[in-house]
Amino acid sequence: MADVVHLHVGAPKTGTTYLQDRLALNRGSLEDHGVAYPIGLKADMFGAALDLIDLPWGGQREAVRGDWESLMGRVRRAPGRAIISHEILAGAKPKQVEKAMRDLAETEMHLVFSARDLARQIPAEWQETVKHRRVHTFRRFLGQVMESPRRNPRMWFWRAQSLPDVLTRWSSGLSPDRVHLVTVPQSRAGGTLWTRYCEALELDPAWLTEDSERANVSVGIDETIMLRRLNRRLRAADLDSESYRAIVRELVVHQRLALREDKRKVTLPPSAFDWAEEVAEEWMEWVRGSGIHVVGDLEDLRPRRPDPDASWEDPDKPRQGKVGDATMDALVTVIMELAERPDPDQGPVSRLARAARRLRGDTP
């Protein structure tokens, strides 16, 4: 078993995609310095994390059964130190946390949690839910977030994002010096977040020279509205989850819509900032009282208010021309992809064709 394990449990939308990809790209160099990032044959630790938290996750549950035990086997074989990282671990329930702690009981375990202010997290998480086939408005999502309990939460957002709740669940039995909170800086400039991650994980940045270009990208207001409309149609067409992930989320959203210029940014309404600041104060007070190790500035958790003279753009109110442009971009992207797959009996193309026939009402 590795002598020391740094377990990074999230939160989502805190630069985790970049972190994990850069760790994977530099595995050889890390191993030369006695640090294992034991992803095995897969690109990341998503499967192991999903296996532990035991959720359907768009039909992917059965495909990852046994992945957590496989990861634990690689950790047991790792000499020196090991790093485990995936953001969905933040949503683990108490019994699932207890299992992970039992599995890692023979190591000196350090818990790492990364947090970002709610003014950025709420819009980002709403978009993420839409990228996972949801159709709800921003107003509805924000209302649910503001009204849902933050202690012992049932709502996924708070299970993964409520700093005191996540750290209370995951840090039981750990001394404060083994619990590390990484705050996401308000500015992306200068690689500050990467430097903070390296400090929390006890890594020398010089060991990880190969950079990553991956990020969990966001889209704008009009692109999100288009995607919500598309999700409604695809529900009626009964497109399977695998095809949705490959065609819509990866091809259309990540490779095209996220790259569009002049996107209208989704932001928190001014009326919600007082509430968001109250939550931030609760979090900062909890952290100060806990004695845990903070990497960064606690003030980064305080939402940055917009210019009082700036007008707020409602994420539920489309500019039809921009939505139309986004729709055409998405359509062109899919057509160009299909043009490179001339055999209609292969893969997602045939599934897409069947879905189109169902949407038209044709007999399969």
Side-chain angles (χ1 to χ4, degrees), residues 264-318:
R264 294 194 296 149
K265 187 176 180 180
V266 180
T267 59
L268 203 65
S271 60
F273 271 83
D274 286 347
W275 166 82
E277 283 193 351
E278 289 179 8
V279 176
E281 287 289 354
E282 291 177 9
W283 288 5
M284 290 188 285
E285 183 179 355
W286 185 91
V287 171
R288 293 187 192 104
S290 70
I292 64 174
H293 177 215
V294 178
V295 185
D297 188 347
L298 273 184
E299 284 296 317
D300 287 328
L301 299 178
R302 191 184 304 279
R304 183 171 293 180
R305 287 182 178 267
D307 186 329
D309 296 327
S311 60
W312 179 67
E313 296 195 73
D314 189 337
D316 297 326
K317 291 186 178 180

Side-chain angles (χ1 to χ4, degrees), residues 312-329:
W312 179 67
E313 296 195 73
D314 189 337
D316 297 326
K317 291 186 178 180
R319 292 182 182 175
Q320 296 299 347
K322 285 184 173 290
V323 175
D325 287 342
T327 304
M328 293 303 296
D329 280 351

Side-chain angles (χ1 to χ4, degrees), residues 87-338:
E87 58 274 16
I88 66 171
L89 289 170
K93 296 178 180 178
K95 289 189 178 299
Q96 296 159 353
V97 173
E98 290 172 9
K99 173 175 172 46
M101 293 302 192
R102 287 195 305 271
D103 290 342
L104 296 167
E106 297 179 17
T107 73
E108 178 187 310
M109 204 191 86
H110 289 251
L111 183 74
V112 180
F113 183 69
S114 41
R116 189 168 71 151
D117 70 274
L118 288 173
R120 291 180 290 172
Q121 287 296 76
I122 292 173
E125 280 291 295
W126 172 64
Q127 288 190 335
E128 200 65 21
T129 64
V130 176
K131 284 160 57 177
H132 284 76
R133 310 189 77 163
R134 298 295 296 275
V135 299
H136 49 195
T137 64
F138 181 70
R139 179 179 179 179
R140 180 182 177 188
F141 179 76
L142 175 60
Q144 290 174 335
V145 169
M146 295 179 69
E147 294 168 7
S148 295
R150 299 194 297 275
R151 293 188 177 183
N152 301 317
R154 297 183 62 184
M155 186 180 185
W156 171 260
F157 178 87
W158 287 124
R159 276 175 54 193
Q161 299 286 346
S162 180
L163 185 156
D165 187 78
V166 174
L167 288 180
T168 298
R169 261 183 285 135
W170 273 104
S171 66
S172 177
L174 295 178
S175 58
D177 62 306
R178 292 192 189 179
V179 181
H180 312 277
L181 170 65
V182 176
T183 63
V184 177
Q186 291 286 343
S187 172
R188 294 183 179 181
T192 305
L193 179 58
W194 171 243
T195 302
R196 291 178 182 180
Y197 269 131
C198 286
E199 179 181 342
L201 297 171
E202 298 185 44
L203 300 175
D204 185 336
W207 300 346
L208 301 102
T209 55
E210 191 167 351
D211 205 352
S212 170
E213 296 181 356
R214 286 193 65 200
N216 194 348
V217 292
S218 298
V219 293
I221 290 174
D222 303 288
E223 293 80 12
T224 308
I225 288 173
M226 187 225 72
L227 186 56
R228 286 175 49 222
R229 293 175 178 176
L230 179 62
N231 287 346
R232 291 192 186 96
R233 295 293 185 96
L234 292 178
R235 281 186 179 183
D238 196 27
L239 182 68
D240 64 277
S241 297
E242 180 184 354
S243 296
Y244 184 92
R245 288 192 298 272
I247 298 170
V248 180
R249 192 157 76 234
E250 182 58 35
L251 178 64
V252 172
V253 177
H254 289 174
Q255 297 185 29
R256 184 63 191 99
L257 296 184
L259 304 181
R260 282 169 50 85
E261 297 180 355
D262 301 322
K263 298 190 296 286
R264 294 194 296 149
K265 187 176 180 180
V266 180
T267 59
L268 203 65
S271 60
F273 271 83
D274 286 347
W275 166 82
E277 283 193 351
E278 289 179 8
V279 176
E281 287 289 354
E282 291 177 9
W283 288 5
M284 290 188 285
E285 183 179 355
W286 185 91
V287 171
R288 293 187 192 104
S290 70
I292 64 174
H293 177 215
V294 178
V295 185
D297 188 347
L298 273 184
E299 284 296 317
D300 287 328
L301 299 178
R302 191 184 304 279
R304 183 171 293 180
R305 287 182 178 267
D307 186 329
D309 296 327
S311 60
W312 179 67
E313 296 195 73
D314 189 337
D316 297 326
K317 291 186 178 180
R319 292 182 182 175
Q320 296 299 347
K322 285 184 173 290
V323 175
D325 287 342
T327 304
M328 293 303 296
D329 280 351
L331 182 58
V332 168
T333 300
V334 173
I335 289 173
M336 296 302 292
E337 178 73 10
L338 294 180

